[in-house]
Amino acid sequence: MTAAPPIIELCHVDKYFGPFQALTDINFAVRQGERVVVCGPSGSGKSTMIRCINRLEEHDAGTITVDGILLGDDTKDIRAVRQDVGMVFQQFNLFPHLTVLENLTIGPIRVRKMDKAAAEALGRKYLDRVHIPEQADKFPSQLSGGQQQRVAIARSLCMEPKIMLFDEPTSALDPEMISEVLEAMVELANSGMTMVCVTHEMGFARRVADKMVFMEAGRIVETAPPGEFFTAPKSDRARMFLDQILEH
């Protein structure tokens, strides 16, 4: 029996910003239900790579296929991919003039054409899942940073995506708020969600990752299971990175 094809596949992907090459010959695959953590120093291309997966950045060479759709310039294909790929950013990007529940229901109502009652039921379900059901009627400014990021996770889940992308979701948070967001992500990982997370939270990575990807200077330097990556990294650069990050 052959293995199922990857739900995400990047083949020989390059990306330029003007003359600067941000990604070089990226080959990367994620299978359904797999949890992948992407790490590396600042400026290594981690965020650019995952932003290419849902076409927030346009790649310049190579191919990107998401759930059987080859990403190109066809806006219909891009829209289809974005409906199935949720993304949580460093900044929460919540609408300040809408309540928490309204932030959660706007996507299902406008994009998935769900009626208001069904969208609100879905929103409350996912607020419950990230453990802040009591915040439904508040505005984002009334919440802590950790609570706002959990709302952002719930908002993505309301679109019922097949894949979740996280771009350093805890980097803008105070230290005491990080653990509550990571807990919500751990629960999501344990539910079987396909996840790609750019993060420096190595404790989280050890706990949930099926695969570690280490990037440097726009290239994937090393890919390994977490047990192998943390105990015996193959590249000197990954070893140096881990020595620095695990000291803090």
Side-chain angles (χ1 to χ4, degrees):
M1 190 172 157
T2 56
I7 194 167
I8 300 170
E9 189 167 26
L10 282 67
C11 295
H12 304 297
V13 168
D14 293 344
K15 167 67 183 171
Y16 290 86
F17 292 106
F20 174 70
Q21 188 163 4
L23 297 176
T24 303
D25 196 29
I26 296 293
N27 293 284
F28 175 73
V30 181
R31 300 204 174 274
Q32 188 157 0
E34 196 171 26
R35 290 85 57 100
V36 179
V37 169
V38 182
C39 63
S42 293
S44 58
K46 310 179 298 293
S47 294
T48 301
M49 182 178 77
I50 69 162
R51 286 172 66 86
C52 285
I53 292 170
N54 63 354
R55 200 66 168 180
L56 290 175
E57 297 290 355
E58 191 175 323
H59 60 291
D60 296 302
T63 61
I64 299 177
T65 308
V66 182
D67 197 22
I69 298 173
L70 183 67
L71 271 179
D73 295 327
D74 189 325
T75 54
K76 184 164 58 66
D77 287 345
I78 294 168
R79 199 159 50 243
V81 164
R82 287 181 181 164
Q83 284 197 27
D84 283 336
V85 179
M87 187 156 183
V88 177
F89 301 87
Q90 297 176 39
Q91 303 300 330
F92 323 122
N93 296 337
L94 301 174
F95 294 111
H97 62 291
L98 300 180
T99 66
V100 165
L101 190 59
E102 287 167 343
N103 266 280
L104 267 58
T105 58
I106 191 169
I109 290 169
R110 290 195 180 176
V111 179
R112 295 210 181 268
K113 309 303 180 189
M114 194 178 283
D115 70 66
K116 188 180 177 187
E120 287 187 350
L122 191 66
R124 290 185 189 280
K125 169 186 162 184
Y126 285 116
L127 281 178
D128 198 48
R129 186 159 174 186
V130 298
H131 306 298
I132 46 170
E134 73 286 352
Q135 308 297 345
D137 298 320
K138 291 186 179 176
F139 289 92
S141 61
Q142 296 174 287
L143 306 183
S144 70
Q147 289 171 330
Q148 288 186 61
Q149 193 60 295
R150 282 189 282 166
V151 171
I153 293 171
R155 178 181 58 184
S156 284
L157 292 175
C158 280
M159 294 299 287
E160 310 222 285
K162 295 179 180 177
I163 299 161
M164 285 286 285
L165 308 177
F166 293 87
D167 186 8
E168 301 199 32
T170 59
S171 65
L173 299 177
D174 293 333
E176 65 271 17
M177 295 174 186
I178 289 173
S179 62
E180 64 187 62
V181 173
L182 291 177
E183 264 323 301
M185 291 170 64
V186 167
E187 286 186 28
L188 187 58
N190 290 340
S191 76
M193 175 66 74
T194 305
M195 296 170 66
V196 182
C197 305
V198 171
T199 183
H200 288 144
E201 299 293 338
M202 294 297 103
F204 167 80
R206 284 181 195 263
R207 197 168 161 191
V208 308
D210 298 308
K211 182 165 69 184
M212 297 295 300
V213 173
F214 176 75
M215 295 185 69
E216 153 102 315
R219 296 178 183 269
I220 293 178
V221 176
E222 189 165 341
T223 301
E228 191 180 306
F229 180 75
F230 286 109
T231 56
K234 291 185 179 69
S235 64
D236 290 341
R237 190 63 191 87
R239 200 172 303 117
M240 192 188 310
F241 172 79
L242 286 171
D243 286 346
Q244 289 174 337
I245 204 162
L246 296 175
E247 279 175 8
H248 295 90

